[in-house]
Amino acid sequence: AVFRGGGLPLTIETGHVLTIMQPGVTIDDNFTHRLSSTVKLPDQKVGTVMVIRPFAGVSYALVMDSLHEIRLMDAVTTP
């Protein structure tokens, strides 16, 4: 896995463990009786990576586990 360190701290080092998050989907809200009411579900944890080679703008990481497929543009955050 490769990630860019856009929102992450600049202190990413070899061995750091990070969480992969997929954005929550937006669904129709069938419980309120308003027209065109939608709800955004929470983001979902889909995996864990370990940094193996950090650089200034990009880092290489090993996917340690995943619950679903990891998609382009999934977020990488600190646990």
Side-chain angles (χ1 to χ4, degrees), residues 2-14:
V2 177
F3 65 90
R4 291 184 51 215
L8 295 173
L10 297 176
T11 57
I12 295 293
E13 298 177 4
T14 301

Side-chain angles (χ1 to χ4, degrees), residues 18-52:
L18 303 169
T19 301
I20 305 167
M21 301 292 287
Q22 286 182 347
V25 297
T26 301
I27 61 170
D28 292 329
D29 184 2
N30 296 327
F31 295 103
T32 61
H33 298 289
R34 293 181 287 178
L35 292 175
S36 64
S37 178
T38 59
V39 175
K40 182 184 180 298
L41 298 178
D43 294 346
Q44 181 180 11
K45 176 183 175 183
V46 293
T48 307
V49 296
M50 182 173 62
V51 177
I52 56 173

